[in-house]
Amino acid sequence: MGEGMLSGEDIHSFADASLEIILRFDGDGRIFYANALAREELGYGEELEKLGLDKLLPAELHQEEGGFPLEAAREMTEGMMYRKNGTCFPVRMAVKAGNGQNLLFAINIAKLKETERKLVRMKEEMEETLKVRNEFVANVTHELRTPVNGIRGHVTNLLENGVTPEVSNTLDIIIRCCDNMSAIINNILDFSKLEAGKFVIEQKEFNFYKMINHTVETNIPAINAKGLRIMVNIDKTIPEYLIGDELRLTQILNNFLSNAVKFTSVGYINIEVTKTVQFDDEIELFFVVSDTGIGISPEEQDKLFKSFSQVDASITRKYGGTGLGLAITKQLIELMQGSVHLDSEKGKGSSFSFSVRLHVAQKAKEEQQAVEQFEFINQNQELPGFDSVEKFFQFGTPENVQEIKGKMEKLILCMEVEAWDKAENFAHNIKELMEQAPKDLKRAAFRLEMNVRKGDHDKSVEQYENLRAVFEETIGGM
Ligand code: ADP
């Protein structure tokens, strides 16, 4: 035998080390070699080397008259292999045939099968749990909705019957609470439907510009109350009538817009919508909602679109909310074949952008109406009610002074509890509110912001006291 050639003995010692069962058998199905694993696993020991293969695989190789079914053996891929004691185990196997000598390789897949069965069982159990949970959520939300609507209805009746201004204030608050509660109930219901894959996106004709108008209008009271500016800029090549889910599109836009209002105390909110693609009657729109609010840090951005996540527990306490809004919004956007993206810098602001695919309605194709008639949609037009903004930034007006005082109180509180992130925001707001103030004051505000940014408690307090003294001196002299 030449060098490098393997002897029969070598081959058998390799076969003995194999993790597979290896059997050699002749054309009659008689085994004449079995490796160590086969001898041990099947319980026959040396006796295996006289046995017929059909004894090991009775179901696969049931011998009919006329000898061993070699053809059937060649086609075997999975089967049950029997031990001497009558027990059996599943195997995956391959048969190589040639020259009156055949080889069978088999591997015991009992563990694999067991794992597969466990996985199937787990999946079934999970589906069952999810189903029960969704039914539970549907029932509970329904049960909650009824009393909330009841309370709201009765309170509205009371208001209509004429009450004193004080009582009327309280009743307004109750109505607002009911509305918040309804919004949360709806979110929970949506979320559970989305999770169960039961959410259906409607395809109905709607007026796109009216939809935008309506959504912006709903947020105007809150925008005005905070003295913010809003700019809406819509690409006029977008047809007036589109087909899609108006309610859900409103929900998406409203979520971004109301968050922008909620997390911005000074500055402006900008909405932009452009048409990115139109092919036949299919259209893709790209929305951007940006604000000059508290912003979101990169680490926090990662968590944002996951359910029940609010970037920071202290934010929940301050602003409220369940953290479900963005998770729902993201899924709704994806159901409209779009995607969502966030650019944000802590303390500077956030810009949420998303795309959705809709269809152009027949009506729109027939009459591409002019869209200027809609109040808020002229290029870069500011919404009414914003002269108050000027007063905010104009240094020394009562609004400005009051706002600065309010922010300073909050700032010192944050500094005392060492909540530096929030303190930084307040210090920044104060600096902005003092943009038009005399130089000394501006410089003091700048130094304060720098020290707060460094998180240096003692220096920050020192600069805070300094700023307060200069501020009081300045407004005292005005
Ligand atoms: P919720 O339903 O509680 O409002 P969302 O899912 O809409 O929750 O938002 C989750 C969190 O993302 C908010 O609690 C907030 O911390 C952060 N966030 C969302 N929008 C903004 C924004 N425009 N500026 C700053 N933070 C934001």
Side-chain angles (χ1 to χ4, degrees), residues 187 255-264 289-291 293-296 300 304-306 308-312 315-316 319-329 342 344 349-352:
N187 267 353
N255 194 36
F256 288 127
L257 182 54
S258 59
N259 273 346
V261 180
K262 191 160 151 189
F263 297 108
T264 307
V289 180
S290 39
D291 63 58
I294 63 172
I296 307 163
E300 296 166 341
L304 213 62
F305 293 97
K306 306 209 175 97
F308 307 110
S309 87
Q310 281 181 318
V311 294
D312 164 354
I315 289 187
T316 320
Y319 296 98
T322 55
L324 270 182
L326 289 178
I328 294 173
T329 305
L342 164 66
S344 181
S350 311
S351 174
F352 285 88

Side-chain angles (χ1 to χ4, degrees), residues 149-191:
N149 287 345
I151 297 170
R152 200 188 191 288
H154 285 296
V155 172
T156 313
N157 278 347
L158 279 179
L159 267 175
E160 279 165 5
N161 289 340
V163 283
T164 63
E166 268 158 42
V167 175
S168 159
N169 266 347
T170 312
L171 296 184
D172 277 338
I173 293 172
I174 297 178
I175 289 192
R176 265 206 308 280
C177 291
C178 286
D179 291 344
N180 286 342
M181 183 105 172
S182 290
I184 293 171
I185 294 171
N186 288 341
N187 267 353
I188 295 174
L189 198 59
D190 280 355
F191 183 74

Side-chain angles (χ1 to χ4, degrees), residues 159-381:
L159 267 175
E160 279 165 5
N161 289 340
V163 283
T164 63
E166 268 158 42
V167 175
S168 159
N169 266 347
T170 312
L171 296 184
D172 277 338
I173 293 172
I174 297 178
I175 289 192
R176 265 206 308 280
C177 291
C178 286
D179 291 344
N180 286 342
M181 183 105 172
S182 290
I184 293 171
I185 294 171
N186 288 341
N187 267 353
I188 295 174
L189 198 59
D190 280 355
F191 183 74
S192 108
K193 269 200 217 151
L194 281 163
E195 255 210 335
K198 283 196 188 142
F199 209 96
V200 184
I201 291 289
E202 295 234 355
Q203 295 297 338
K204 266 204 195 133
E205 185 174 300
F206 68 97
N207 185 316
F208 176 72
Y209 293 82
K210 276 200 177 142
M211 187 278 296
I212 299 273
N213 232 3
H214 176 75
T215 315
V216 174
E217 254 174 351
T218 324
N219 286 280
I220 287 290
I223 293 171
N224 280 346
K226 295 184 92 173
L228 300 170
R229 268 180 290 181
I230 182 162
M231 285 175 285
V232 184
N233 196 358
I234 312 281
D235 175 352
K236 294 218 184 101
T237 62
I238 300 171
E240 189 177 350
Y241 289 97
L242 297 175
I243 295 175
D245 199 325
E246 178 179 14
L247 199 70
R248 297 309 178 177
L249 193 57
T250 308
Q251 183 177 343
I252 296 169
L253 188 60
N254 191 49
N255 194 36
F256 288 127
L257 182 54
S258 59
N259 273 346
V261 180
K262 191 160 151 189
F263 297 108
T264 307
S265 47
V266 183
Y268 62 86
I269 290 159
N270 192 22
I271 301 180
E272 262 194 73
V273 193
T274 41
K275 181 174 86 177
T276 42
V277 187
Q278 183 169 357
F279 184 71
D280 269 349
D281 65 344
E282 205 170 327
I283 186 168
E284 186 183 75
L285 301 184
F286 186 71
F287 291 71
V288 184
V289 180
S290 39
D291 63 58
T292 54
I294 63 172
I296 307 163
S297 72
E299 308 84 64
E300 296 166 341
Q301 290 179 25
D302 288 342
K303 303 187 223 153
L304 213 62
F305 293 97
K306 306 209 175 97
S307 7
F308 307 110
S309 87
Q310 281 181 318
V311 294
D312 164 354
S314 60
I315 289 187
T316 320
R317 282 193 295 279
K318 184 169 170 202
Y319 296 98
T322 55
L324 270 182
L326 289 178
I328 294 173
T329 305
K330 179 171 186 263
Q331 294 194 54
L332 288 178
I333 290 171
E334 282 165 4
L335 282 177
M336 297 187 187
Q337 285 124 46
S339 57
V340 57
H341 180 77
L342 164 66
D343 278 312
S344 181
E345 199 177 326
K346 189 114 193 147
K348 293 247 165 77
S350 311
S351 174
F352 285 88
S353 53
F354 66 96
S355 59
V356 289
R357 276 180 185 257
L358 301 162
H359 286 94
V360 178
Q362 195 56 34
K363 204 163 167 184
K365 282 198 244 163
E366 283 160 11
E367 39 173 316
Q368 281 269 11
Q369 284 186 3
V371 291
E372 277 84 16
Q373 54 180 308
F374 296 103
E375 215 175 331
F376 302 135
I377 294 150
N378 298 330
Q379 299 270 334
N380 275 331
Q381 182 195 308

